[in-house]
């Protein structure tokens, strides 16, 4: 495979833009499905973290193997035919069940990303950023965090733990949990989900370094055990309490 530069010479140097991040965060709070805002916030706050993360990735044997392959993951993950042929109970079967239940596609996230990235750079920074983007929904499946608002915020905390930093992602995770906490009784410990997500992500093997095609063939429970992904206990507890609260409110509502 042809060599490409680590950083394209025309790629602009990242700048911190905290006020942009705040305004974009408000838009995301108003509409959690407005995924484009996530890319704006991360770009506004992360500085050169993606490059530092890529350099750490390149320093590992798995990372170098993934760079050598340089697979484009979105088309492979959206081809459910080969995944559907995998045995029941595998990561792949859990993945397509999740994606189809939620009406998602890897290319859908690519489209949201394309709204933000007006110019492409043929460098490893872009490839690595795309790899992180395209594995987002696989993170949901492996970590056990759902697509509800608390699950998304907790997953971003998990992602921050995996990445070893990055102000953009953790800002979204923290602000998301903080916003959710405002609307719930104090006994529902939303911030425990935030802390748990960070800890679970940091203690697990880095998913982005894995051979994703081989990972899809593994039994889900075995893959979680191999990667050291702990169960999202605090999140499941909070989610059960939220559902119980919603059921109680529905029963009390006038007919």
């Amino acid at each position: 495979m042809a060599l490409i530069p680590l950083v394209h010479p025309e790629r602009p140097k990242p700048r911190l833009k905290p006020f942009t991040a705040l305004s974009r965060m408000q838009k995301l709070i108003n509409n959690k499905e407005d995924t484009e805002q996530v890319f704006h916030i991360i770009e506004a706050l992360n500085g050169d973290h993606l490059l530092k993360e890529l350099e750490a990735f390149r320093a590992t044997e798995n990372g170098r193997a993934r760079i050598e392959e340089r697979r484009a993951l979105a088309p492979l993950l959206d081809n459910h035919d080969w995944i559907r042929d995998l045995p029941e109970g595998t990561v792949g079967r859990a993945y397509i069940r999740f994606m189809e239940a939620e009406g998602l596609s890897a290319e859908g996230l690519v489209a949201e990303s394309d709204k933000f990235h007006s110019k492409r750079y043929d460098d490893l920074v872009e490839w690595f950023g795309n790899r992180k983007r395209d594995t987002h929904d696989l993170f949901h499946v492996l970590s056990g965090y759902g697509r509800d608002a608390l699950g998304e915020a907790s997953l971003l905390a998990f992602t921050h733990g995996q990445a070893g930093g990055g102000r953009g992602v953790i800002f979204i995770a923290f602000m998301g949990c903080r916003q959710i906490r405002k609307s719930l009784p104090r006994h529902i410990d939303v911030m425990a989900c935030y802390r748990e997500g960070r800890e679970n992500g940091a203690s697990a093997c880095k998913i982005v370094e894995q051979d994703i095609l081989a990972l899809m063939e593994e039994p889900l429970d075995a893959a979680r055990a191999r990667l050291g992904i702990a169960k999202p206990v605090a999140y499941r507890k909070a989610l059960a309490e939220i559902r119980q609260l919603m059921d109680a409110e529905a029963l009390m509502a006038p007919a």
Side-chain angles (χ1 to χ4, degrees), residues 23-162:
S23 65
R24 295 290 182 174
M25 187 68 210
Q26 189 57 56
K27 290 183 179 181
L28 186 60
I29 288 171
N30 293 340
N31 177 14
K32 80 177 186 70
E33 298 297 334
D34 188 5
T35 313
E36 180 190 349
Q37 302 309 322
V38 171
F39 298 103
H40 285 284
I41 296 166
I42 291 173
E43 190 269 346
L45 292 180
N46 262 16
D48 63 354
H49 175 74
L50 183 63
L51 177 58
K52 291 178 179 177
E53 190 183 351
L54 170 57
E55 288 173 337
F57 178 86
R58 287 203 308 164
T60 68
E61 183 178 349
N62 281 343
R64 289 191 295 273
R66 303 293 82 81
I67 290 171
E68 183 67 24
E69 299 161 352
R70 260 197 349 264
R71 290 191 178 111
L73 291 179
L76 293 169
L77 292 173
D78 276 347
N79 180 2
H80 289 187
D81 291 340
W82 74 270
I83 302 174
R84 214 179 301 278
D85 288 338
L86 297 174
E88 186 58 48
T90 57
V91 173
R93 291 290 291 274
Y95 175 78
I96 60 172
R97 188 179 302 114
F98 173 82
M99 298 296 280
E100 290 174 357
E102 297 291 340
L104 300 172
S105 70
E107 289 294 345
L109 201 52
V110 172
E112 289 296 317
S113 172
D114 286 347
K115 292 179 185 177
F116 168 67
H117 294 106
S118 58
K119 186 173 181 180
R120 293 295 178 189
Y121 300 94
D122 188 17
D123 59 13
L124 282 179
V125 171
E126 181 162 302
W127 171 83
F128 186 61
N130 290 348
R131 185 175 180 85
K132 287 168 62 67
R133 175 199 66 200
D134 297 341
T135 51
H136 172 80
D137 290 313
L138 186 58
F139 273 46
H140 271 293
V141 173
L142 290 167
S143 68
Y145 291 112
R147 283 199 74 239
D148 57 282
L150 182 56
E152 288 286 7
S154 301
L155 180 67
L156 288 175
F158 179 95
T159 302
H160 179 268
Q162 283 269 295

Side-chain angles (χ1 to χ4, degrees), residues 160-235:
H160 179 268
Q162 283 269 295
R167 287 180 290 260
V169 168
I170 204 60
F171 174 70
I172 302 170
F174 178 80
M175 293 297 290
C177 286
R178 184 170 175 268
Q179 189 70 19
I180 294 164
R181 186 179 62 177
K182 290 179 182 179
S183 63
L184 294 173
R186 295 182 68 85
H187 75 274
I188 300 178
D189 196 349
V190 171
M191 299 313 293
C193 303
Y194 166 82
R195 293 189 296 272
E196 176 186 71
R198 291 182 72 181
E199 291 166 5
N200 286 2
S203 63
C205 296
K206 288 184 168 48
I207 297 167
V208 74
E209 293 179 6
Q210 304 301 306
D211 179 341
I212 298 302
L213 299 188
L215 177 60
M216 300 291 269
E217 298 178 359
E218 289 186 54
L220 178 57
D221 289 341
R224 286 170 170 164
R226 179 179 67 81
L227 296 170
I229 300 174
K231 294 180 179 179
V233 177
Y235 165 68

